[in-house]
Amino acid sequence: MDEYEKTEDELQKQYDIYLEKFRNLAYLEQQLEDHHRMEQERFEEAENTLRLMQNKLKEEEKRLLKSRSWPGVPEAALNDKPAWSLSSSERPSTGKSLVGWLHPALPWTRALRPFSVILLYSSELLL
């Protein structure tokens, strides 16, 4: 009987150790889930903030471009759509060639400046 009681005591100790480790593991897993959830929420919040800032910057850029519009610069240059994707009714008629679109206030015209000289020269030849 003594051997049975010793084995029973040893089993109870092992069970207590198992129970403590199981509780610790459950607690740590819950802590990890909470941490991942908070991290995901922070990431989504940062993503939303970034998206809002991008939208504000786009709107500010549109507002600045519209406030700086000059006579002869078509409104299509200020739209989100490229000019070639506009239908014929949406395209502005300025009475000028493509050179009229090359305005220093529009950022995309910097890349086209070398071509504007060619366009000016070729349009003078045609006249």
Side-chain angles (χ1 to χ4, degrees), residues 85-93:
S85 69
L86 298 174
S87 67
S88 60
S89 63
E90 293 176 318
R91 290 185 189 144
S93 59

Side-chain angles (χ1 to χ4, degrees), residues 72-74 92-97 100-101:
V73 177
S93 59
T94 59
K96 297 183 179 182
S97 64
W101 287 46

Side-chain angles (χ1 to χ4, degrees), residues 28-117:
L28 291 174
E29 285 176 344
Q30 181 62 40
Q31 291 290 322
L32 183 63
E33 286 177 16
D34 291 345
H35 176 73
H36 284 307
R37 186 173 47 256
M38 286 176 24
E39 192 174 67
Q40 183 67 27
E41 287 172 0
R42 273 191 245 133
F43 175 75
E44 289 172 0
E45 184 179 332
E47 197 173 53
N48 288 337
T49 303
L50 180 62
R51 190 176 303 115
L52 286 173
M53 288 174 65
Q54 286 173 339
N55 289 339
K56 284 181 184 178
L57 286 173
K58 283 180 185 177
E59 291 299 320
E60 180 70 17
E61 184 179 6
K62 283 181 187 178
R63 187 185 64 75
L64 286 174
L65 285 174
K66 286 183 180 182
S67 69
R68 291 184 185 170
S69 64
W70 294 62
V73 177
E75 278 298 310
L78 304 176
N79 288 341
D80 289 336
K81 294 182 188 177
W84 62 84
S85 69
L86 298 174
S87 67
S88 60
S89 63
E90 293 176 318
R91 290 185 189 144
S93 59
T94 59
K96 297 183 179 182
S97 64
L98 279 177
V99 179
W101 287 46
L102 299 174
H103 193 274
L106 300 173
W108 56 271
T109 60
R110 288 187 195 112
L112 295 177
R113 283 194 184 130
F115 300 110
S116 65
V117 175

